[in-house]
Amino acid sequence: MGHKIAVYGASGTTGQFVLAELKKRGHEPQPFGRAQATADNPAALDRALEGAAAVINTAGPFAVTAGPLITAAERAGIPYVDVAAEIEANADTLARGASIPVVPAMAFFGGLADLLVTAAMAGWDHADEAHIAYGLSGWQPTASTLTAGKVSRERRDGQRVRFHDGKLTYHSDTAPVLTWEFSDGTRQVIGEFSMADVVTVPSHLRIPSVTNYMSTEAATGLQTAQTRQEPETFEVDVRVRRATEERRLTASGKDIYAVSAPLAVEATERLLSGRFNVTGAASAGKMFDAPDFLKSLVDVIQTTDCS
């Protein structure tokens, strides 16, 4: 039986994909946006959530929208899911208490790698380091992506962020340019290209060092908003190391914005059907059974154990 699911930011690129995914799965989307309810208007947010079984937030900057919408979801007593890629916004969400299930970063950046790292850690209570490399054929950022990134950079005064020695640190030096062996060959990558993973992964896993890498094709494209043409292909290569052991999982597919929709909607369905681990704010790997969740995405994401 389908549910009424509120979708904030429904007119945006990811919002449109989420609406389509909800309809495909037999749910009734309840779309709304800033025209109906701005983040600083609690009464309007309450009206927008009336009758909804859950809410999916696709409207960045999440530094502005996440907190008020989570609070509104708590008043309504319904689960909250968002697709935030903003490092600081996700840290804020995970640090807060919540009376409802709250899952931030349930998207290509953040949620997917967190599920992969969690699955790779099976049977390990800790690891020394996690390396997450994004092999994108390109990146055609939306205007919303660039706006959210700008807000995030301003919060850290333009500095780069790392997660090493169990903490986030900020730096002004130039990121290194390296090479990475993806399954389809060697690519040049930008090292320490930190994404939401530096917050989601260590929020529940004992890994004191989490490092991201981004293909230079994608990093170069992330400069100005572009009209989306041919969707990018991707490979997310996760390597988790403990002493001399290494475990490796990869996920591949097409269109980083489109695949965020099944990630967010699958998470929402699991919250509504009781298939989750904790009440409160938690990242994907802590909230859900990671291997089972990844199996559910087989139609859009191919996961391979390369250990």
Side-chain angles (χ1 to χ4, degrees):
M1 181 179 176
H3 296 276
K4 287 186 177 180
I5 310 294
V7 181
Y8 192 41
S11 63
T13 299
T14 303
Q16 288 294 299
F17 282 125
V18 168
L19 293 182
E21 185 71 17
L22 287 169
K23 292 175 183 176
K24 174 184 171 183
R25 297 187 183 213
H27 300 293
E28 181 183 340
Q30 194 166 302
F32 68 108
R34 292 179 178 85
Q36 294 81 26
T38 56
D40 60 355
N41 190 333
L45 291 175
D46 289 345
R47 287 193 296 271
L49 297 185
E50 286 180 2
V55 57
I56 302 174
N57 181 8
T58 69
F62 294 90
V64 175
T65 65
L69 201 51
I70 292 170
T71 301
E74 288 183 299
R75 291 194 295 269
I78 60 176
Y80 168 94
V81 172
D82 73 34
V83 297
E86 298 162 42
I87 294 171
E88 291 77 16
N90 285 315
D92 290 345
T93 297
L94 290 168
R96 63 169 285 157
S99 60
I100 55 171
V102 169
V103 189
M106 198 63 246
F108 177 78
F109 291 118
L112 178 56
D114 189 45
L115 290 166
L116 290 167
V117 173
T118 305
M121 285 281 288
W124 286 4
D125 65 354
H126 75 281
D128 298 322
E129 55 191 28
H131 299 267
I132 303 161
Y134 289 95
L136 276 60
S137 62
W139 193 344
Q140 302 166 68
T142 64
S144 294
T145 295
L146 294 176
T147 298
K150 181 175 182 290
V151 169
S152 196
R153 286 191 302 275
E154 288 174 350
R155 288 188 66 176
R156 60 180 109 105
D157 295 325
Q159 294 181 303
R160 296 191 305 109
V161 61
R162 301 172 186 157
F163 184 81
H164 291 296
D165 298 324
K167 61 182 182 295
L168 291 175
T169 58
Y170 295 85
H171 306 267
S172 300
D173 56 342
T174 302
V177 178
L178 310 165
T179 57
W180 190 273
E181 293 296 330
F182 290 95
S183 63
D184 61 355
T186 304
R187 287 190 181 185
Q188 190 177 73
V189 297
I190 306 297
E192 298 180 345
F193 195 98
S194 295
M195 305 299 293
D197 314 320
V198 300
V199 170
T200 56
V201 170
S203 72
H204 69 106
L205 296 172
R206 290 177 56 200
I207 308 177
S209 176
V210 179
T211 307
N212 284 127
Y213 308 82
M214 181 66 68
S215 59
T216 53
E217 304 99 312
T220 301
L222 190 59
Q223 303 296 329
T224 58
Q226 301 171 31
T227 301
R228 304 203 74 218
Q229 303 293 335
E230 180 67 20
E232 61 284 309
T233 58
F234 65 81
E235 178 181 324
V236 183
D237 187 12
V238 164
R239 304 185 189 192
V240 182
R241 294 170 182 160
R242 186 176 72 169
T244 59
E245 297 179 84
E246 179 179 277
R247 292 180 177 177
R248 181 183 178 194
L249 284 178
T250 68
S252 58
K254 186 176 183 178
D255 198 333
I256 64 175
Y257 291 97
V259 301
S260 289
L263 280 158
V265 174
E266 178 69 23
T268 304
E269 287 188 335
R270 288 179 180 241
L271 294 176
L272 292 174
S273 61
R275 293 174 292 159
F276 62 94
N277 299 325
V278 297
T279 295
S283 66
K286 182 176 181 179
M287 186 65 78
F288 306 112
D289 178 329
D292 186 65
F293 198 112
L294 289 167
K295 287 178 184 176
S296 75
L297 303 172
V298 66
D299 290 342
V300 291
I301 298 173
Q302 293 72 54
T303 304
T304 305
D305 186 341
C306 301
S307 299

